[in-house]
Amino acid sequence: MTIRENVLRVKEIISAAAIRSKRKPEDIILLAASKTQPVEKIIQAYQAGVRYFGENRVQEGIKKIEQLKDYTDIHWHLIGGLQTNKAKYAVRHFELIHSLDREALADEIDKRAKKIGKVQDVLIEVNVGEEESKYGVKPSDLERLFEYSLSKENINILGLMCIPPYFEDKEKSRPYFAMLRDLRDKIEEKFAVKLPHLSMGMSHDFDVAIEEGATIVRVGTAIFGERK
Ligand SMILES: *Cc1c(COP(=O)(O)O)cnc(C)c1O
């Protein structure tokens, strides 16, 4: 399968899942998770119509952003965990950071964004499975981090992100996606805000995530093939 064929198939699955959940296919953003992929493959995905790309590591991402700077309509997102000392570079180069998960990072993003006159769009990453190995704020600490980040002038919170535990059976991811949606709904009510985005769902379960309200799906393997 070529990257073009993969993109077309992923888009068909997105459309079908959107229609099943009574939403518009065009309201769901396909973000290609391009970590470890060379720019040649990113260009192939671009040529198949993908405009959103997510990188995990700041340095690797910046290198590609610079190599692809002529592709001015690409939206670059940071989807991997972010070290505080790299926030400065993340703010400078990425449109949306999916991985705000602690107060110290909110402080740093706010400070660095202020310095360059930017309001940084972010998602708060929630560790829905409460796994030691994963980034993300614990569900029970989410409201506090939300309130803290909301008070930052140079941070704009657009929603929540999660990476649930991995299950062969994608149906087992469903309760975690539903949990993220419920957490979002509670925050919207309690703080009288709108959080339009839920970033959830990867290659093996993005259709389930869409059924549970995902607005951004992060798809790597199903577009680019297995990573080396
Ligand atoms: C790699 C990655 C993805 C995509 O994973 P696939 O299973 O290859 O689709 C999505 N989100 C994050 C944060 C990732 O690191």
Side-chain angles (χ1 to χ4, degrees), residues 119-150:
V119 175
Q120 178 66 54
D121 287 337
V122 303
L123 304 177
I124 295 184
E125 179 170 356
V126 185
N127 188 352
V128 288
E130 306 205 29
E131 296 169 278
E132 286 286 346
S133 61
K134 292 237 169 95
Y135 290 96
V137 64
K138 275 203 297 191
S140 57
D141 294 336
L142 171 62
E143 284 191 4
R144 191 155 48 143
L145 178 62
F146 179 82
E147 189 165 27
Y148 185 82
S149 307
L150 191 61

Side-chain angles (χ1 to χ4, degrees), residues 33 35 56 79-80 161 163 201-204 218-222 225 227:
K35 59 172 179 266
N56 284 66
I79 61 176
M161 178 271 220
I163 308 173
M202 304 179 13
S203 289
H204 75 293
R218 308 178 311 268
V219 180
T221 312
R227 283 179 290 277

